[in-house]
Amino acid sequence: MKLTRRKVMALGVGAVGAGLAYRGLKGQGIAGHALDVIRDVYGPDIAADPAAFEFSQAYEAFVLEKGVQGRMLDMGYWAGLQTLPYVSDKLSRINDSVIDKFATSTNVILATERNVPLEFVALFSPYENSCQNQLGALAYSVA
């Protein structure tokens, strides 16, 4: 079978269409994966909170700001590649990052221990907003 320009373009459009359909059905990406990690680690009640959704959107923006590497990571989650053996090892490193960023960017420990509302102000960065570290502000330390 000879591949003409028309066939290649049709295949490309079909692949993009299938990807968008899968994206619409699955509705994930880095933000969705971050919510899944939060649900697994901190529980479904915390993951259902609007502050957790705000955090996941900010975390996705943080990863996408990393340029091509961040966009490729996002595409890996949209395509569902995180379940493949080699890819899962590389992509699973983001789980630790989500756990750490969520703990330092929200008052999740205080919210779970004392039943106060979950708050998310900004994504913690030790260089840009070091005073926003919720663990340090509440006198918690990471062992």
Side-chain angles (χ1 to χ4, degrees):
M1 175 172 106
K2 183 178 178 183
L3 289 177
T4 62
R5 187 178 298 180
R6 182 176 288 182
K7 288 180 183 176
V8 169
M9 289 185 64
L11 286 173
V13 169
V16 169
L20 289 174
Y22 181 79
R23 182 178 182 168
L25 291 173
K26 186 160 176 152
Q28 288 224 352
I30 292 176
H33 180 72
L35 283 175
D36 288 343
V37 171
I38 292 167
R39 186 176 302 108
D40 292 343
V41 173
Y42 298 105
D45 293 338
I46 295 292
D49 196 283
F53 181 76
E54 288 178 44
F55 166 81
S56 69
Q57 297 299 315
Y59 187 81
E60 183 175 66
F62 164 74
V63 172
L64 291 177
E65 286 175 5
K66 297 198 179 294
V68 173
Q69 184 180 6
R71 285 183 172 70
M72 293 301 289
L73 184 63
D74 190 43
M75 281 180 23
Y77 282 109
W78 278 116
L81 297 177
Q82 70 272 16
T83 57
L84 298 176
Y86 175 75
V87 179
S88 67
D89 295 339
K90 299 294 181 189
L91 294 182
S92 65
R93 289 184 284 172
I94 200 168
N95 296 356
D96 293 336
S97 175
V98 169
I99 293 167
D100 293 343
K101 287 277 189 196
F102 190 70
T104 55
S105 300
T106 65
N107 65 339
V108 67
I109 294 174
L110 190 64
T112 55
E113 287 182 352
R114 299 190 186 149
N115 291 330
V116 298
L118 183 67
E119 296 175 3
F120 169 72
V121 178
L123 198 64
F124 171 69
S125 170
Y127 304 109
E128 294 178 15
N129 56 1
S130 58
C131 295
Q132 293 291 337
N133 184 348
Q134 295 294 315
L135 288 176
L138 301 173
Y140 290 108
S141 63
V142 179

